[in-house]
Amino acid sequence: MATLHLHSVLPNPTSFKSTKATTSTRRRLLPNSVRCVEATQVTGETQRVTVRNGNDSLDICRVLNGMWQTSGGWGRIDRDDAVEAMLRYADAGLSTFDMADHFRLSHLVIGMAELLHHNSLSKFTFSSIKKTRTKGIQKLSWRPVQGVLTEDNRRAVVKNGKDSLDISRVVNGMWQTSGGWGRIDRDNAVDAMLKYADAGLTTFDMADIYGPAEDLYGIFINRVRQERPPEFLEKIRGLTKWVPPPVKMTSSYVRDSINVSRKRMDVASLDMLQFHWWDYANTGYLDALKHLTDLKEEGKIKTVALTNFDTERLQIILENEIPVVSNQVQHSIVDMRPQQKMAELCQLTGVKLITYGTVMGGLLSEKFLDTNLNIPFAGPPLNTPSLQKYKRMVDAWGGWSLFQALLQTLKGIASKHGATIPNVAVKYILDQQAVAGSMIGVRLGLSEHIQDSNAVFSLALDEDDIRSIQEVTKKGKNLLKVIGDCGDEYRRA
């Protein structure tokens, strides 16, 4: 017989000092003020009971299926397996399900409800759907499952409804082609891209504003078409971003902008278009996303996604039924903001996170271990835009001394596993809630870290590793309070 897990959301009665009503309480509970009459009435079917208040009534199964266990901590929930299990419970007569908006995967019930609706079954009850309000944002019932991650060790699927895309879990970031990291030679860069792809690192992330990045991808993808078998081409993914100025988002403007990226990347359909918006006060981002969705329906974009959107705006976008599959955000051991607000919404809706800044431009590496940047010329120079950017994050988080303590901890973990500090830094983030992939920047033709990137897939962090990392990070400042939510670093002076 299957074990049925029951859960009550009521506090433990032992936490109350007394359950006796005071005189004032009894006055408030006089019969004339009470409208909850005939609270329960057992039907002829002993398995079911009717709850009633005046004209309102609902019959439910007397043993309820509690769905708190979908919220995390009981093991990974596979959407399809979960719905199949729900059907088995219902077929056995246990047809009442209890959930809440904050039970992260309880929205699975919506998919099951659709199945049952088509079969005109009347005995199924989805009861006790609870609502919460967080800082003025009301959590609503979501439409059928927004997305689900299925993965092997190296690849992940970002998905929303019928839109899906599989990507490598370690993504090659091409911000470094935009200048400031050294001169990029076109042929050497494309040769390097082929080496990364041949090694299984087949997903490249770029943007319309990353200098020649989209053009390099166009040359690269043509070489793949000419020099590699068709099945190899099927694994290549080009994720790009669109970062428009704050102009009116007309259909023609959006279309023309996306056509530029399609031409530069030499593809009929963009694998993923990640949309960025500067000013939330200008709600034109919703217009832009609706036009992007139209282009997706036309086949010019395979999946629509976001970059650097905060939790509140992500919820608004989903409530407007825009099928985004992911949000690319800054996320590292130092910057855990995405896990404080964003990840919960992602778990509820299926939207995934693609992270950047995960090795903090190289700060999270042996190169900066046992250095003192407060002494001029005492450590490696901060000679790239990414090193300068993430050094500011270190300063906001807790300063160089605390960062050195973190590097020493990571070095100990890396030595234990025969790995490197960047391996540990990336794996720690890949193991976080809702993370589908993490970015590692590539300096194409200038330096190479293919072996180090691939080593991430064979690394498994244990509980002692996690505990030792958290003992250091808890000493740092809460960047959500210092900076704001995901992407706010680009919107606050």
Side-chain angles (χ1 to χ4, degrees):
M1 180 177 178
T3 302
L4 184 63
H5 299 282
L6 302 178
H7 168 68
S8 171
V9 297
L10 295 176
N12 188 328
T14 59
S15 65
F16 295 95
K17 292 182 179 179
S18 174
T19 58
K20 294 181 180 179
T22 63
T23 302
S24 59
T25 303
R26 285 194 295 269
R27 290 195 189 101
R28 290 197 297 271
L29 299 179
L30 290 174
N32 288 339
S33 66
V34 177
R35 300 301 180 197
C36 296
V37 295
E38 297 181 279
T40 61
Q41 177 181 336
V42 178
T43 64
E45 186 180 346
T46 58
Q47 284 186 318
R48 304 186 71 81
V49 67
T50 299
V51 291
R52 178 177 296 155
N53 186 327
N55 293 326
D56 303 332
S57 66
L58 182 72
D59 76 300
I60 62 174
C61 184
R62 299 196 74 189
V63 173
L64 282 70
N65 305 312
M67 296 183 66
W68 180 33
Q69 286 75 10
T70 66
S71 62
W74 285 265
R76 180 178 175 272
I77 298 292
D78 178 85
R79 183 193 68 171
D80 296 333
D81 289 346
V83 173
E84 289 293 333
M86 292 171 71
L87 285 167
R88 288 196 296 271
Y89 276 94
D91 287 340
L94 300 167
S95 54
T96 301
F97 297 82
D98 178 89
M99 71 213 76
D101 62 340
H102 59 281
F103 294 176
R104 291 175 183 146
L105 292 180
S106 60
H107 64 296
L108 292 168
V109 75
I110 302 173
M112 181 182 175
E114 284 200 328
L115 293 175
L116 300 177
H117 172 73
H118 292 302
N119 290 302
S120 302
L121 300 179
S122 61
K123 293 269 182 157
F124 296 88
T125 311
F126 304 98
S127 66
S128 303
I129 301 179
K130 311 161 189 77
K131 285 192 176 183
T132 60
R133 186 177 292 271
T134 305
K135 294 186 178 179
I137 307 173
Q138 186 174 1
K139 295 177 179 178
L140 304 175
S141 297
W142 298 95
R143 57 199 177 86
V145 181
Q146 296 284 333
V148 64
L149 174 68
T150 59
E151 61 188 277
D152 58 18
N153 192 36
R154 298 181 60 95
R155 298 185 74 83
V157 176
V158 291
K159 187 175 183 180
N160 189 327
K162 67 180 185 299
D163 302 334
S164 67
L165 186 74
D166 73 300
I167 62 173
S168 174
R169 296 207 73 197
V170 172
V171 180
N172 305 312
M174 295 180 66
W175 181 32
Q176 285 74 8
T177 65
S178 62
W181 286 264
R183 182 179 176 276
I184 297 291
D185 177 83
R186 185 193 70 177
D187 294 334
N188 289 341
V190 174
D191 285 341
M193 293 175 73
L194 284 166
K195 290 180 183 177
Y196 276 90
D198 287 336
L201 301 166
T202 57
T203 300
F204 297 83
D205 178 271
M206 65 212 83
D208 60 336
I209 60 172
Y210 290 178
E214 291 184 334
D215 298 298
L216 290 172
Y217 183 85
I219 300 169
F220 158 74
I221 200 68
N222 267 302
R223 285 197 53 187
V224 171
R225 290 166 182 152
Q226 296 166 13
E227 301 173 14
R228 301 293 186 274
E231 59 268 22
F232 186 88
L233 178 62
E234 292 174 2
K235 296 179 180 179
I236 304 297
R237 299 290 179 264
L239 320 180
T240 195
K241 306 180 194 75
W242 180 40
V243 187
V247 299
K248 187 174 178 60
M249 293 290 113
T250 64
S251 176
S252 59
Y253 180 79
V254 174
R255 181 182 297 273
D256 290 345
S257 299
I258 299 311
N259 282 341
V260 171
S261 289
R262 292 172 57 229
K263 182 177 180 180
R264 293 179 69 188
M265 296 174 66
D266 200 8
V267 293
S269 180
L270 301 175
D271 289 326
M272 179 185 288
L273 191 285
Q274 301 164 102
F275 175 67
H276 175 88
W277 191 252
W278 294 106
D279 182 13
Y280 293 143
N282 179 350
T283 58
Y285 67 89
L286 291 173
D287 297 325
L289 283 165
K290 288 173 182 175
H291 295 318
L292 290 173
T293 302
D294 290 339
L295 292 174
K296 178 185 68 67
E297 294 300 322
E298 293 177 20
K300 293 181 171 59
I301 301 170
K302 294 177 184 175
T303 55
V304 175
L306 305 172
T307 182
N308 289 314
F309 272 79
D310 66 6
T311 308
E312 181 178 353
R313 254 53 61 162
L314 173 58
Q315 176 157 340
I316 290 170
I317 288 165
L318 293 173
E319 288 171 350
N320 276 269
E321 299 189 348
I322 297 168
V324 296
V325 297
S326 63
N327 187 21
Q328 187 178 135
V329 294
Q330 183 173 293
H331 197 356
S332 67
I333 292 178
V334 167
D335 186 2
M336 295 295 290
R337 288 177 297 158
Q339 295 302 315
Q340 293 181 260
K341 290 179 64 177
M342 179 74 65
E344 181 182 7
L345 180 60
C346 288
Q347 289 293 92
L348 279 166
T349 61
V351 172
K352 295 300 172 186
L353 299 176
I354 298 175
T355 74
Y356 65 88
T358 308
V359 295
M360 304 188 74
L363 287 178
L364 285 168
S365 69
E366 283 79 1
K367 182 178 180 179
F368 287 89
L369 178 64
D370 297 328
T371 62
N372 187 350
L373 297 188
N374 295 321
I375 301 175
F377 309 109
L382 302 177
N383 57 357
T384 69
S386 52
L387 285 172
Q388 295 160 12
K389 171 183 178 178
Y390 294 113
K391 172 57 166 58
R392 293 192 293 270
M393 296 299 298
V394 168
D395 294 340
W397 172 69
W400 196 250
S401 177
L402 181 59
F403 188 69
Q404 282 299 308
L406 176 61
L407 287 179
Q408 290 162 7
T409 298
L410 297 179
K411 180 59 177 177
I413 295 170
S415 298
K416 167 184 165 182
H417 293 284
T420 66
I421 290 176
N423 293 161
V424 177
V426 173
K427 180 60 174 175
Y428 186 83
I429 297 304
L430 284 176
D431 288 345
Q432 299 298 312
Q433 288 187 107
V435 174
S438 290
M439 202 91 57
I440 299 179
V442 289
R443 300 176 67 181
L444 298 171
L446 299 177
S447 63
E448 185 179 291
H449 44 72
I450 291 174
Q451 184 176 351
D452 202 46
S453 294
N454 270 326
V456 172
F457 299 117
S458 60
L459 176 62
L461 300 178
D462 59 37
E463 292 182 3
D464 288 339
D465 300 331
I466 304 301
R467 189 180 304 109
S468 61
I469 291 172
Q470 292 176 347
E471 285 176 357
V472 180
T473 57
K474 69 183 181 182
K475 298 175 183 177
K477 295 178 182 177
N478 184 344
L479 291 182
L480 189 70
K481 295 180 179 179
V482 176
I483 300 174
D485 200 5
C486 299
D488 281 352
E489 60 269 30
Y490 297 101
R491 298 179 179 87
R492 294 187 177 184

